[in-house]
Amino acid sequence: MKKFETTPHTADVGLLVEADSPEELFRGALLGMSGIMNGNYCNESGPHPLSEKISLTSIDQSSLVIDFLNEVIAFSDEDKAVFCTVDFTALTNTRVEATVFGGSGIEFDKQVKAATYHGALIHTNDSGNLEVRILFDI
């Protein structure tokens, strides 16, 4: 189970992600960010022919999700791409190895410049799910 919702913020776009596992949290964060970039692409697209490999190490899981999203943003900028899905080879509290899938040549609704560390702290909410709030610089 994963869910996400965008939240208003003065100069940025916020995303609140809730999931029942770290894998689903990362998937929800990716899908939520993709929805900010292009609200329809991941919902309407078929197969995702573009793939990029990601291999990162961070100091903790909260930093790791931000670093993961920033790596995806870099690929998005390179290829004018939106990435919708991710397959994990490895995911620990400090390391991610994965392949993200999407499409290139996509028109952005909003240009996401970066996922910020401001306030990004993965915690367990009252429902027992993992939750993180992410602010994107647009």
Side-chain angles (χ1 to χ4, degrees):
M1 187 274 309
K2 65 179 172 275
K3 68 179 184 177
F4 58 86
E5 64 179 280
T6 57
T7 56
H9 190 266
T10 307
D12 301 322
V13 174
L15 182 70
L16 178 63
V17 183
E18 180 181 355
D20 57 6
S21 71
E23 292 85 357
E24 290 301 305
L25 189 78
F26 276 66
R27 285 187 179 103
L30 175 65
L31 192 57
M33 182 179 76
S34 297
I36 294 167
M37 292 177 156
N38 183 300
N40 296 320
Y41 177 74
C42 292
N43 294 331
E44 296 176 354
S45 64
H48 302 115
L50 180 64
S51 66
E52 296 286 353
K53 292 193 181 299
I54 294 176
S55 180
L56 296 169
T57 302
S58 295
I59 59 171
D60 59 30
Q61 195 173 42
S62 297
S63 297
L64 188 63
V65 72
I66 299 301
D67 293 343
F68 169 77
L69 294 172
N70 281 322
E71 188 78 1
V72 174
I73 290 167
F75 291 134
S76 293
D77 288 345
E78 274 178 32
D79 300 322
K80 197 160 172 82
V82 174
F83 294 91
C84 302
T85 60
V86 58
D87 287 338
F88 295 102
T89 305
L91 181 60
T92 69
N93 285 340
T94 59
R95 180 147 185 78
V96 61
E97 291 191 31
T99 304
V100 292
F101 299 92
S104 60
I106 310 300
E107 188 172 327
F108 295 138
D109 296 335
K110 289 189 172 107
Q111 178 72 41
V112 175
K113 297 176 189 172
T116 69
Y117 296 94
H118 178 76
L121 178 63
I122 296 173
H123 66 278
T124 303
N125 65 18
D126 292 341
S127 300
N129 291 319
L130 296 174
E131 186 176 278
V132 65
R133 186 173 304 275
I134 301 166
L135 288 179
F136 294 96
D137 182 15
I138 55 170

